[in-house]
Amino acid sequence: MSRHHEQPDRKQRARTAASDADVLARLREIVGAENVLVDGERVEPYAQDAVKEKFPPEAVLLPASAAEVSAILKLANERRFPVTARGGGVGYTGGAVPVEGGVVVGTDRMNRIREINADDLYVVTEPGVTTYALQQAVEPRGLFYPPDPASYKNSFVGGNIAENAGGIRSAKYGVTKHYVLGLEVVLPTGEIVRAGGRTTKNVVGFDLTGLLCGSEGMLGIITEATLKLLPLPEATRTVRATFRTMREACACVPAFNRAKVVPVAVEVLDRNSIEAVETEFAFGFGAEAGALLLVSVDGHAEDVERDSKIVERVVKDGGGFDVVRSRSREEEEKLWDVRRALSPAIKKFGTMKFNEDVVVPRSRVPELVERVVRVGERYDTFVVNFGHAGDGNIHVNFMCDRDDPAAMKRAREAVREVFAVAIDLGGTISGEHGIGYVKAPYLSMALDAPTVEMMKRIKRALDPNGILNPGKMFT
Ligand SMILES: Cc1cc2nc3c(=O)[nH]c(=O)nc-3n(C[C@H](O)[C@H](O)[C@H](O)COP(=O)(O)OP(=O)(O)OC[C@H]3O[C@@H](n4cnc5c(N)ncnc54)[C@H](O)[C@@H]3O)c2cc1C
């Protein structure tokens, strides 16, 4: 299923200096011949990300160190060919695909966790470790790495930092940038720099880690990251409730905070989402269920017991019915099944999904959803809304048939209008998926000209030859 907006599928490889025999020979010297892939079949997996549009690289390079990445970038500047960094390749905005050709630098071989420090609460890792592997490595030591994009089994730490990934736990724990203490980065011109360090506090010089988080592989290639850890919470509990309307369900979000509870996750599903999971998996939700809320709390066992009861009371007071509170880890897993079932279930509504991730201040979510429904009606396009009500980040999915050009056009127009609605409500066009090439045509809706110009100046200062990930964000 493709979700792209305004660019054609590119089946042919672009031709740049990266394909010259002498350049390929030097690349083989840098990373070893076995780590330079040029054969069509071996290059194919690196031609697309979750957008599912193909931009085949001229070569895929699999370096094992910052020194090798540095040598690649120096050569790229000398011979002027594009370089695009790649993590797990599950980005939603085409960030990791080489739209202007050149080489893809895969971080697959840079997959070692170098140090886990339980006393100072940090982990030092290479960029090619998956988010899941990192979480699994620290948990047995009683440690916790909170960022958890739903793609965590496939996404890499480097890709998470470059996209500043969020996830279900963001309501309480924030996003990836809140956990980045230090970075080793190879600049587009090949110098190796170190930003930040290993301490929670560090105000020496500009906040370069802040700049690099969310820089979408355009300002440097991350070769090592020092990430903050927390003690692993002792217990978690989840409350699930249905409501007649999305407005009622979302109104609970500020009510939790007024009741002095900060949930880890507050996920909301609209009527169409419920219908999708119901037809596919028969959870048993009644016809009067117009919205569903999943709320988790974590902490010490006795606090979690108390907080989950407060959550139960708040949702009941807010009009929730069929309220269930988990009493064990197994029960909790079962309550979350509905959320896990959702993405595959909504495929029944169309072969094409325009999956947007607009974000608004939390209290504006009900208004956002109501206006999105009206946009869907106006453009005669089926829409499914669900997502992270706890942080205002809603996944708006316009569904249509990819073989119906008129329906595709209407859906694209609906997307543009939803972006305008999100901005009008004090929010913006992406909460976690980034810009890449997919959302580049909409950047100026969200940022004014001087702000875009400042970003372009930073890019030009660090990458004067436009080597690293060209064709993204500013096209
Ligand atoms: C099913 C599914 C669920 C998802 N759920 C979430 C979610 O809950 N929250 C969320 O935030 N996102 C989500 N995403 C989006 C995506 O998974 C995240 O953006 C993730 O961080 C991408 O990681 P990746 O390793 O796959 O990066 P890639 O797709 O490989 O690359 C993404 C960008 O990072 C750059 N990059 C990669 N590695 C490096 C590096 N070492 N140095 C510099 N730049 C680099 C690339 O050039 C590119 O611009 C989801 C995607 C899918 C398919």
Side-chain angles (χ1 to χ4, degrees):
M1 190 182 297
S2 167
R3 54 180 299 284
H4 111 89
H5 295 172
E6 295 181 353
Q7 296 217 6
D9 231 15
R10 197 167 308 170
K11 306 272 186 238
Q12 296 300 316
R13 282 197 220 192
R15 179 82 169 68
T16 70
S19 292
D20 292 355
D22 65 320
V23 169
L24 285 170
R26 284 176 68 185
L27 290 170
R28 288 188 179 103
E29 275 166 27
I30 294 168
V31 292
E34 66 284 12
N35 298 312
V36 178
L37 317 180
V38 285
D39 173 58
E41 236 170 68
R42 297 189 70 194
V43 162
E44 184 74 17
Y46 295 85
Q48 61 180 41
D49 64 359
V51 181
K52 304 239 182 291
E53 276 162 346
K54 292 196 169 117
F55 294 90
E58 289 165 81
V60 175
L61 313 176
L62 301 171
S65 67
E68 289 179 10
V69 174
S70 164
I72 293 165
L73 282 162
K74 284 184 176 154
L75 179 61
N77 276 276
E78 189 187 315
R79 297 299 297 270
R80 300 284 204 271
F81 58 85
V83 176
T84 302
R86 183 180 177 94
V90 283
Y92 259 145
T93 49
V97 294
V99 294
E100 295 188 6
V103 300
V104 160
V105 170
T107 45
D108 315 44
R109 290 175 66 224
M110 301 174 77
N111 60 359
R112 281 182 320 128
I113 294 177
R114 292 184 177 162
E115 182 190 351
I116 299 173
N117 192 316
D119 288 338
D120 291 327
L121 290 172
Y122 68 74
V123 54
V124 182
T125 180
E126 294 181 354
V129 173
T130 64
T131 326
Y132 178 68
L134 188 84
Q135 289 168 348
Q136 292 294 301
V138 302
E139 282 183 16
R141 311 270 296 265
L143 300 168
F144 181 40
Y145 178 66
D148 64 335
S151 52
Y152 69 127
K153 290 213 168 150
N154 300 309
S155 66
F156 289 3
V157 169
N160 290 167
I161 297 168
E163 294 289 354
N164 191 12
I168 280 172
R169 295 197 279 242
S170 301
K172 178 171 178 180
Y173 290 108
V175 296
T176 301
K177 74 174 176 191
H178 299 122
Y179 296 87
V180 180
L181 297 175
L183 293 174
E184 177 191 74
V185 176
V186 184
L187 295 182
T189 38
E191 300 89 337
I192 301 173
V193 299
R194 290 194 157 269
R198 297 192 171 181
T199 53
T200 310
K201 291 178 166 179
N202 183 339
V203 291
V204 181
F206 291 147
D207 178 12
L208 297 179
T209 51
L211 175 65
L212 290 157
C213 286
S215 63
E216 300 198 10
M218 294 172 67
L219 301 182
I221 298 186
I222 299 154
T223 47
E224 184 191 280
T226 303
L227 304 171
K228 183 170 99 170
L229 301 172
L230 297 176
L232 187 65
E234 190 181 78
T236 60
R237 280 260 195 280
T238 291
V239 174
R240 194 185 73 193
T242 42
F243 294 80
R244 275 171 191 79
T245 64
M246 283 288 273
R247 184 165 278 276
E248 275 182 356
C250 295
C252 292
V253 175
F256 297 136
N257 299 148
R258 281 196 295 273
K260 304 278 182 276
V261 174
V262 182
V264 188
V266 187
E267 292 289 298
V268 71
L269 279 67
D270 74 353
R271 171 73 231 155
N272 290 338
S273 307
I274 297 171
E275 192 195 310
V277 289
E278 200 48 50
T279 7
E280 298 289 305
F281 302 100
F283 283 96
F285 299 117
E288 67 285 11
L292 185 142
L293 209 57
L294 280 157
V295 188
S296 288
V297 289
D298 70 352
H300 283 294
E302 59 274 22
D303 295 342
V304 164
E305 186 63 18
R306 184 200 58 209
D307 286 354
S308 62
K309 285 182 179 158
I310 295 174
V311 167
E312 192 177 13
R313 177 173 50 74
V314 169
V315 295
K316 283 182 177 163
D317 289 351
F321 52 96
D322 290 341
V323 181
V324 189
R325 188 168 67 92
S326 71
R327 280 157 206 283
S328 65
R329 182 64 81 161
E330 293 71 41
E331 277 182 29
E332 182 169 40
E333 286 298 309
K334 263 184 95 67
L335 292 184
W336 277 95
D337 277 350
V338 55
R339 178 67 177 83
R340 281 188 279 267
L342 185 57
S343 281
I346 65 170
K347 286 183 183 161
K348 79 185 196 102
F349 293 127
T351 52
M352 172 74 189
K353 174 174 76 168
F354 286 86
N355 165 12
E356 301 310 333
D357 78 311
V358 290
V359 60
V360 293
R362 294 180 311 176
S363 64
R364 312 299 296 269
V365 170
E367 232 177 306
L368 171 74
V369 172
E370 284 166 10
R371 287 175 68 176
V372 167
V373 169
R374 290 204 292 276
V375 171
E377 284 164 3
R378 207 162 39 251
Y379 289 94
D380 189 20
T381 303
F382 194 81
V383 62
V384 184
N385 293 299
F386 61 88
H388 319 306
D391 57 32
N393 185 199
I394 296 299
H395 295 289
V396 173
N397 297 272
F398 286 109
M399 309 297 301
C400 61
D401 179 357
R402 66 190 315 181
D403 298 325
D404 180 346
M408 292 278 285
K409 184 167 177 287
R410 287 199 308 276
R412 279 194 196 99
E413 284 164 6
V415 164
R416 184 174 278 278
E417 201 158 320
V418 164
F419 288 162
V421 168
I423 292 164
D424 185 48
L425 292 172
T428 193
I429 64 176
S430 178
E432 49 185 28
H433 294 163
I435 299 299
Y437 75 84
V438 170
K439 288 204 187 108
Y442 310 100
L443 187 75
S444 61
M445 290 178 75
L447 301 176
D448 61 20
T451 310
V452 173
E453 183 49 32
M454 179 179 166
M455 291 183 185
K456 284 184 178 172
R457 268 192 234 161
I458 293 171
K459 170 70 175 163
R460 280 196 297 269
L462 294 179
D463 189 6
N465 298 318
I467 295 299
L468 199 56
N469 212 358
K472 307 291 166 65
M473 203 176 296
F474 304 124
T475 46

